[in-house]
Amino acid sequence: MRFLLVEDNHDLGGAVQTRLSLDGHGVDWARSLEEAEDHLATATYDLILLDIMLPDGDGRDFLAAHRRAKRDTPVIVMTARSAVSDRVALLDTGADDYVTKPFDFAELEARVRAVLRRRGGAAQTDVAYADLTFDPLAASVTVGGEARELRNRELRLFEILVAAPDRIFSKGQLCDRLFSAAEAVSDNAIEVYVGRLRKKLEGSQARIETVRGVGYRLTAP
């Protein structure tokens, strides 16, 4: 998935970007609200991680404008404000969740998973397709009940495909979802990850089909 991180603290921003990138997500990092708007004008994000105190304004104003513009991208606010009234105000303004600084990265990752799960409308944890089962909380994939070990970006690629079976994703769309704008990648990178994922899913009724000149899709007989 592709996230937008809005945080002006160099150490914290770098740590969050690194941690979520290790989980296989593409993370674009904006150090100001102006940079954040520039990113939103050119890319689509699955989640925004938003600081409150930024050099060119208040993240709460950004959040309110985000919702007035009918943007439904989920937002997790990272705030040093711990008072109940502050947290309630953030949720009323349109935040999907918040995490109080300083926070443990395991908590941030859990809140990210929870928000994405809620936004996806998942009534249950597991996602099943053909003989494949995906548990996003445990980050596990099984083929006919047999566990298959997927590395981070392989797992994120599988997550994208299994969430929309039979939908064709172009290489460009997959690049946008898997990598940040700062990462220099080519279409060949997608071919490599698709190839690796195919090997990990060998023996499954489902398969990753190449639609020549268009892209890839997960399909089954």
Side-chain angles (χ1 to χ4, degrees), residues 21-194:
S21 295
L22 288 173
D23 286 340
H25 301 293
V27 183
D28 290 334
W29 180 10
R31 277 77 165 178
S32 67
L33 296 178
E34 182 179 6
E35 284 186 30
E37 289 291 359
D38 288 343
H39 281 293
L40 288 169
T42 58
T44 299
Y45 295 96
D46 299 290
L47 178 71
I48 298 172
L49 298 164
L50 177 65
D51 186 24
I52 291 298
M53 303 305 292
L54 291 151
D56 57 346
D58 192 314
R60 289 167 294 189
D61 295 333
F62 172 89
L63 174 61
H66 183 74
R67 294 307 182 212
R68 284 197 303 270
K70 305 300 182 184
R71 295 171 177 167
D72 62 357
T73 308
V75 177
I76 296 178
V77 174
M78 303 180 297
T79 177
R81 297 173 180 269
S82 58
V84 172
S85 58
D86 290 322
R87 300 198 300 268
V88 169
L90 288 170
L91 295 172
D92 285 342
T93 301
D96 293 84
D97 203 350
Y98 61 86
V99 61
T100 305
K101 298 177 182 179
F103 51 80
D104 188 282
F105 284 111
E107 178 188 3
L108 177 63
E109 290 168 324
R111 290 184 181 276
V112 166
R113 291 194 298 269
V115 166
L116 293 175
R117 190 169 65 250
R118 291 199 303 268
R119 182 51 61 102
Q124 58 184 16
T125 298
D126 291 353
V127 177
Y129 179 69
D131 59 347
L132 300 172
T133 302
F134 171 53
D135 182 346
L137 286 181
S140 65
V141 176
T142 63
V143 176
E146 177 189 346
R148 300 292 173 91
E149 184 178 353
L150 272 60
R151 293 189 150 188
N152 288 333
R153 285 234 162 88
E154 297 165 359
L155 185 67
R156 298 308 168 200
L157 175 59
F158 176 77
E159 184 177 12
I160 293 167
L161 296 174
V162 79
D166 294 315
R167 174 182 168 184
I168 301 173
F169 291 89
S170 69
K171 290 180 180 178
Q173 288 173 323
L174 292 175
C175 276
D176 285 344
R177 298 286 295 275
L178 289 171
F179 302 98
S180 71
E183 295 176 280
V185 295
S186 67
D187 288 350
N188 290 338
I190 295 300
E191 294 177 10
V192 169
Y193 284 110
V194 167

